[in-house]
Amino acid sequence: MVLDLFQDVATLTAQLMDIESVSGNEGPLADAVEAALRPLGHLEVLRNGDAIMARTALGRAERVILAGHLDTVPLPGTPGSRGTVPSSWDGGVLYGRGATDMKGGVAVQLALAATLTEPTKDITFVFYDHEEVEASKSGLGRLVREHADWLGADFGILLEPTNGTVEGGCNGTSRFHATTRGKAAHSARAWMGENAIHAAAPILERLAAYEPATVTVDGLDYRESLNAVKIHGGTAGNVIPDACVVEINYRFAPDKTPDDAEAHVRALLAGFDVVRTDAAAGARPGLNAPAAASFVAAVGAEPKPKYGWTDVARLSELGIPAVNFGPGDALLAHTDNEHVAAEDIRTCLAALTRWLG
Amino acid sequence: MVLDLFQDVATLTAQLMDIESVSGNEGPLADAVEAALRPLGHLEVLRNGDAIMARTALGRAERVILAGHLDTVPLPGTPGSRGTVPSSWDGGVLYGRGATDMKGGVAVQLALAATLTEPTKDITFVFYDHEEVEASKSGLGRLVREHADWLGADFGILLEPTNGTVEGGCNGTSRFHATTRGKAAHSARAWMGENAIHAAAPILERLAAYEPATVTVDGLDYRESLNAVKIHGGTAGNVIPDACVVEINYRFAPDKTPDDAEAHVRALLAGFDVVRTDAAAGARPGLNAPAAASFVAAVGAEPKPKYGWTDVARLSELGIPAVNFGPGDALLAHTDNEHVAAEDIRTCLAALTRWLG
């Protein structure tokens, strides 16, 4: 399929959605994107696996990265779902897998790549694979490792869905196992054992009583959360349980490192065996960087904090202040009836064209 | 294999142990038991599946049931275990699967069946299958349904291991599911959900704080216990859990019915969704029945309560007071190195011969 990057950006979105690209199957879409970008004389194009980068080299004072992922989560399993492939229209609303997450954003990137032959800032467009799966497979992570020279910039925009507002930075996330141990015994002689599930009561009490903080970072209010996400204990209906594990997920504001977050959880659960099993740093919104400030002014909407972890954290690790800004409602992402309003995609394109044109 | 019921009862025990009879494979042992009993002219013999009953009909004033199961739990999985098949001797100690649970008891039954041609009380010997598996498969339960006429008696003795003491009655046992419900949400936006695991904190608190009672029934002290035996909740590391289930096991004294026990648990966990999933009534020790009193006097040991649920409860349901009395330590049952002292089997046989001879 040949992509027409100059057509209406919502129609282009539908065209992108009709090329199924569930994580691991980004090849056909990456081929189409590469084929559409190669003829554009003002761009240098690089392909790496199923990721593509394209950049201007106009010697501008500032460089901006516009990034988006090509993959989607799997197609809906429920018969009759409209958030599937191919896409379909209902009035001005486009239904299908990737509508919000994030082929609308990718269409905006492609339209800007085609039409902004002389942007006011140099631009690096990044289209990557494997965002919706484990972090170790991330196409953006691979590009950072293999083409770090392409990933220098003063500011980054990730076109993840934010309903057209600017969402700055992101919370970090860490997981922990809090484990209690007891002594197994037949439950008919319970006094010969020690009940590890009963011993977990104070862990749940402290989590239930915990009041999560809201932390202001670079002017944005990050709302934290700290939750048991899983619990399991016990082996049989007639045995006093000798172990109970509470899995905890802490979403922490970007004023904290993962080590800070771990210290916080350890203090809350003092006296218990706590092991960190996973950690990803957050990202400060960086809205005080000049490029960020001018972008926010151009968009004209009040910036908000991003609660979920996104790839802006990878850009942040490279020292690039970055925000999320894209069409569609993030709450519709991954749902069976994923959809986006055509007008939202056009509005997003217009805002970026205004700022970069 | 031909069983010699007149040989030393410990040697007979070893012979029984050498015929493997894990639940479901009782056939060969049942065949051997039947073949050994049929020639005894003073007994009427009945076979039902892999259960055998044999009884005297001397017109005595009282009738006693002596019952034991033929099956064992599976053989030990650990290499080098001595609690396996065939049996082995170590001085005066007999090792092998079934040593305590309960081929020593079965050997005592068989020796009594062979030698007591004119007992002072009529005796019904019951050898049954499928005791070590789910209650619905119980051979004794099947006999109760299909041959209730054979199961009338004034007193019952189950030759389960009690280390030679008399253990009266048994605690009842019930299981419950206490379930909390919440509302799923992405854990990055926890405030949009409700955490069902946190909501289970008061359940664990109440169980941890609960002081189990000791209840005196017919002169014996029954120690109760009430425990969480399993807990599970949560579906994924980034989702606020929408359900948590605590599985609870209540071992209650035989002064309570299963309905009494349920009311007790419901009162403790008032405000929570509690469902009873399983129940088995306990059995009063019935030591004030005349046959029981004379038996306890003949054995000469202080009676104790039985904490675990045993088939005495099935006899109790038929209106037959019953106790556990058999050779071997119940704590060795089901272990990898199950064993019994030969002398304990002989002592048990001597006590019953004294009382019934």
Side-chain angles (χ1 to χ4, degrees):
Chain A
M1 188 185 295
V2 178
L3 300 174
D4 174 5
L5 307 189
F6 296 91
Q7 68 185 317
D8 167 59
V9 69
T11 310
L12 175 58
T13 301
Q15 210 178 359
L16 297 174
M17 288 163 62
D18 292 343
I19 306 174
E20 183 261 290
S21 61
V22 173
S23 306
N25 190 36
E26 296 92 339
L29 181 56
D31 292 346
V33 168
E34 182 184 6
L37 292 173
R38 288 278 179 204
L40 301 172
H42 64 288
L43 293 176
E44 182 186 0
V45 176
L46 177 147
R47 168 115 181 207
N48 173 289
D50 287 331
I52 294 130
M53 294 194 282
R55 66 185 175 193
T56 62
L58 300 166
R60 302 300 194 222
E62 289 179 317
R63 177 173 290 278
V64 173
I65 286 177
L66 299 182
H69 60 85
L70 298 175
D71 60 323
T72 69
V73 293
L75 305 188
T78 312
S81 299
R82 294 196 62 176
T84 190
V85 174
S87 61
S88 60
W89 284 99
D90 188 349
V93 178
L94 178 58
Y95 282 80
R97 181 54 86 220
T100 50
D101 191 12
M102 58 170 282
K103 293 189 175 176
V106 170
V108 169
Q109 289 178 270
L110 288 169
L112 291 169
T115 57
L116 289 179
T117 52
E118 299 220 342
T120 56
K121 307 172 201 308
D122 271 313
I123 308 177
T124 304
F125 297 94
V126 182
F127 305 89
Y128 58 101
D129 54 287
H130 287 99
E131 192 270 348
E132 298 288 8
V133 289
E134 56 268 41
S136 61
K137 289 188 175 172
S138 162
L140 184 55
R142 190 180 68 244
L143 292 174
V144 169
R145 289 191 302 275
E146 301 181 7
H147 295 285
D149 53 313
W150 273 69
L151 292 166
D154 301 288
F155 184 54
I157 299 173
L158 197 61
L159 283 94
E160 291 272 6
T162 60
N163 246 342
T165 66
V166 177
E167 294 189 348
C170 68
N171 273 337
T173 176
S174 280
R175 288 192 181 78
F176 303 87
H177 282 176
T179 303
T180 55
R181 304 214 172 269
K183 186 179 159 202
H186 197 292
S187 63
R189 296 184 197 84
W191 52 91
M192 299 184 69
E194 292 166 32
N195 195 311
I197 294 175
H198 295 189
I203 295 175
L204 299 194
E205 283 172 57
R206 293 184 206 174
L207 290 172
Y210 180 80
E211 299 273 359
T214 295
V215 183
T216 304
V217 181
D218 297 352
L220 296 187
D221 293 334
Y222 288 84
R223 190 167 176 178
E224 298 192 334
S225 53
L226 177 57
N227 279 273
V229 285
K230 291 187 199 173
I231 187 169
H232 57 96
T235 56
N238 60 354
V239 176
I240 299 302
D242 65 352
C244 182
V245 179
V246 184
E247 184 174 331
I248 294 160
N249 184 208
Y250 181 27
R251 303 283 178 151
F252 52 93
D255 65 324
K256 295 180 189 65
T257 66
D259 285 347
D260 294 337
E262 179 173 344
H264 186 72
V265 172
R266 287 189 180 286
L268 178 68
L269 299 181
F272 288 95
D273 172 19
V274 174
V275 173
R276 186 168 92 184
T277 58
D278 187 23
R284 299 180 71 98
L287 295 178
N288 36 10
S294 80
F295 171 65
V296 170
V299 170
E302 179 75 9
K304 294 181 182 175
K306 185 79 175 174
Y307 294 121
W309 191 91
T310 75
D311 272 322
V312 299
R314 290 186 199 277
L315 299 180
S316 181
E317 274 180 42
L318 297 174
I320 306 169
V323 298
N324 297 277
F325 175 71
D329 182 347
L331 295 179
L332 292 173
H334 305 191
T335 66
D336 282 0
N337 287 297
E338 194 176 345
H339 58 268
V340 65
E343 208 46 44
D344 290 352
I345 309 172
R346 296 181 191 123
T347 303
C348 176
L349 175 61
L352 285 166
T353 302
R354 199 160 56 236
W355 182 54
L356 293 164
Chain B
M1 187 184 297
V2 177
L3 299 175
D4 174 4
L5 306 190
F6 295 91
Q7 67 185 319
D8 168 56
V9 69
T11 311
L12 174 59
T13 302
Q15 212 179 357
L16 297 173
M17 288 162 63
D18 292 344
I19 306 174
E20 182 261 286
S21 60
V22 173
S23 307
N25 189 34
E26 296 92 339
L29 180 56
D31 292 346
V33 168
E34 183 184 6
L37 292 172
R38 288 278 181 204
L40 300 172
H42 64 289
L43 294 176
E44 182 187 358
V45 177
L46 177 149
R47 168 111 181 211
N48 173 290
D50 286 331
I52 293 131
M53 293 195 282
R55 66 183 174 192
T56 62
L58 299 167
R60 302 299 193 221
E62 289 179 318
R63 176 173 289 278
V64 174
I65 286 176
L66 299 182
H69 60 84
L70 298 176
D71 60 322
T72 70
V73 293
L75 305 188
T78 313
S81 300
R82 294 195 62 178
T84 189
V85 174
S87 61
S88 60
W89 285 98
D90 189 348
V93 178
L94 178 59
Y95 282 81
R97 181 55 84 220
T100 50
D101 192 11
M102 56 169 286
K103 292 190 176 177
V106 170
V108 169
Q109 289 178 270
L110 289 169
L112 291 169
T115 57
L116 289 178
T117 53
E118 297 219 344
T120 56
K121 304 171 206 306
D122 270 312
I123 308 176
T124 303
F125 298 95
V126 182
F127 305 89
Y128 59 99
D129 54 287
H130 286 98
E131 193 271 349
E132 298 288 8
V133 290
E134 55 268 42
S136 61
K137 288 187 175 174
S138 162
L140 183 55
R142 191 181 67 245
L143 292 175
V144 168
R145 290 192 299 276
E146 300 181 8
H147 294 286
D149 52 314
W150 273 70
L151 292 167
D154 301 290
F155 185 52
I157 299 173
L158 198 62
L159 283 93
E160 290 273 6
T162 61
N163 245 343
T165 67
V166 176
E167 294 188 350
C170 68
N171 273 337
T173 176
S174 280
R175 290 191 179 77
F176 303 87
H177 283 176
T179 303
T180 54
R181 305 214 173 270
K183 187 179 158 200
H186 197 291
S187 63
R189 295 182 197 87
W191 51 91
M192 298 185 69
E194 292 166 31
N195 194 312
I197 294 176
H198 295 189
I203 295 175
L204 299 194
E205 283 173 55
R206 292 184 207 174
L207 290 172
Y210 180 79
E211 300 272 1
T214 295
V215 182
T216 304
V217 181
D218 297 351
L220 296 187
D221 292 335
Y222 287 84
R223 191 166 174 179
E224 297 191 333
S225 53
L226 177 57
N227 280 272
V229 286
K230 292 188 196 169
I231 188 169
H232 56 95
T235 55
N238 60 356
V239 175
I240 299 302
D242 64 351
C244 183
V245 179
V246 185
E247 185 176 329
I248 294 160
N249 184 207
Y250 182 27
R251 302 280 177 153
F252 52 94
D255 66 323
K256 294 181 190 66
T257 66
D259 285 348
D260 294 337
E262 178 173 343
H264 185 72
V265 172
R266 287 190 179 285
L268 178 68
L269 299 181
F272 289 95
D273 172 18
V274 173
V275 173
R276 185 168 92 184
T277 59
D278 188 23
R284 298 180 72 96
L287 295 178
N288 36 9
S294 81
F295 171 67
V296 169
V299 171
E302 179 76 10
K304 294 181 181 172
K306 185 81 176 174
Y307 293 121
W309 190 92
T310 75
D311 272 323
V312 299
R314 288 186 202 280
L315 299 180
S316 180
E317 273 181 43
L318 297 175
I320 305 168
V323 299
N324 298 277
F325 175 70
D329 182 347
L331 295 179
L332 293 173
H334 305 192
T335 66
D336 282 0
N337 286 297
E338 194 176 346
H339 59 269
V340 64
E343 209 45 44
D344 291 352
I345 309 173
R346 295 181 193 122
T347 303
C348 177
L349 175 60
L352 285 166
T353 301
R354 200 161 55 236
W355 182 53
L356 293 165

